[in-house]
Amino acid sequence: MKLQRIRKIVQLAMLVMVIIGFNIHAPILLTALIGLTFLAGVFYCGWVCPFGFIQDTASFVSRQLGFKSRRLPNKIHQVMIYFRYIFYIMIVCGVSLRFLSFEPRSAFYLLLLRRIPIVGVMVYLVVFTLLSMFYDRFFCRYLCPEGAKYGLMSLFRVFTIKRASACVSCKKCDKICPMQIQVSLVDTLKSPQCINCFQCISACPIEGCLKIKNRYERNCYDKSSR
């Protein structure tokens, strides 16, 4: 729980800094984020991105109002997670994607800079914020090209979450994961979908069962790496 409080404080601080004019894409910070991603996975999405924090807040408000978090059927989810990578590759290749020109994350920044019409961008923000009230981080999971970029960078990260043999298969880690990763099925978490929110670690009832460790350190049992 302490780790989650720290993360929320960092997320809130980043949101306030962006609102008052701080550029999280400044060269020094961007270089640090990229280096950290190669070393220990994606921190941008789980700790830095203001729109990610907005989605988390929408999910929290939804739970307080008594709404349950929903999940897409796993077969559909496993197909849709590739969409954001397809969008990212198309963007890198110069393919024009009009419907992504005001995607929520970028639109949020442009709104703060007053560079786009408020009415137009609010439609995107409201729609995806409402979706986040029922499907945790829907935009991050399936559509965000920026998240896809960092996810691909994290594929060969040195440090990641590893699961010990003490696991009792309660699946609390699966239920709490906002990116719908089946943490309980892997020994070493290699998924580019992971945003390092560490909610799985916080939710695990067995102390030390889930830890951040060197991914190349051999563990006692290894199933899949989905």
Side-chain angles (χ1 to χ4, degrees):
M1 293 300 293
K2 182 178 179 181
L3 180 60
Q4 292 307 312
R5 285 196 292 269
I6 293 174
R7 187 172 75 94
K8 294 303 179 187
I9 290 172
V10 173
Q11 285 182 299
L12 180 59
M14 292 306 304
L15 175 61
V16 172
M17 291 171 70
V18 168
I19 290 175
I20 63 178
F22 179 75
N23 182 9
I24 65 173
H25 294 291
I28 295 178
L29 179 57
L30 190 59
T31 300
L33 281 172
I34 291 174
L36 188 59
T37 302
F38 281 115
L39 180 65
V42 181
F43 281 87
Y44 172 80
C45 304
W47 292 72
V48 177
C49 178
F51 191 66
F53 178 60
I54 290 173
Q55 290 178 87
D56 286 345
T57 302
S59 296
F60 174 77
V61 171
S62 177
R63 306 303 167 265
Q64 298 306 303
L65 293 175
F67 296 108
K68 292 183 178 180
S69 175
R70 299 173 182 272
R71 302 220 161 184
L72 293 179
N74 197 52
K75 288 184 178 180
I76 297 176
H77 166 73
Q78 290 297 334
V79 172
M80 288 190 64
I81 58 175
Y82 292 104
F83 285 6
R84 69 175 192 166
Y85 301 102
I86 293 172
F87 294 153
Y88 174 65
I89 292 172
M90 291 175 72
I91 290 171
V92 169
C93 293
V95 178
S96 177
L97 298 174
R98 179 176 289 274
F99 72 97
L100 278 179
S101 60
F102 291 132
E103 53 94 355
R105 185 193 59 84
S106 298
F108 177 72
Y109 292 124
L110 293 174
L111 178 63
L112 293 177
L113 295 172
R114 299 178 182 178
R115 291 182 180 175
I116 56 177
I118 293 179
V119 175
V121 70
M122 286 305 293
V123 172
Y124 281 86
L125 295 178
V126 169
V127 168
F128 282 99
T129 298
L130 288 175
L131 270 174
S132 298
M133 295 182 72
F134 300 97
Y135 296 91
D136 293 338
R137 290 209 175 215
F138 186 91
F139 177 71
C140 296
R141 285 191 209 178
Y142 307 123
L143 299 174
C144 183
E146 191 74 0
K149 178 182 75 174
Y150 282 102
L152 292 172
M153 288 181 188
S154 75
L155 282 173
F156 302 101
R157 57 192 180 273
V158 177
F159 296 96
T160 190
I161 296 171
K162 301 194 76 172
R163 185 170 61 96
S165 58
C167 176
V168 295
S169 298
C170 65
K171 299 189 183 298
K172 288 186 176 180
C173 51
D174 297 348
K175 295 174 183 177
I176 199 72
C177 178
M179 298 298 284
Q180 203 171 326
I181 299 171
Q182 294 178 296
V183 182
S184 68
L185 296 182
V186 303
D187 172 56
T188 301
L189 187 59
K190 303 171 185 176
S191 172
Q193 295 290 109
C194 179
I195 58 173
N196 277 343
C197 65
F198 304 132
Q199 291 192 61
C200 55
I201 295 178
S202 298
C204 183
I206 308 300
E207 185 176 355
C209 182
L210 292 175
K211 282 186 175 181
I212 303 169
K213 299 177 70 175
N214 185 334
R215 68 178 286 183
Y216 299 106
E217 178 182 312
R218 188 165 184 175
N219 213 333
C220 57
Y221 68 95
D222 192 355
K223 294 184 180 179
S224 80
S225 60
R226 278 189 296 169

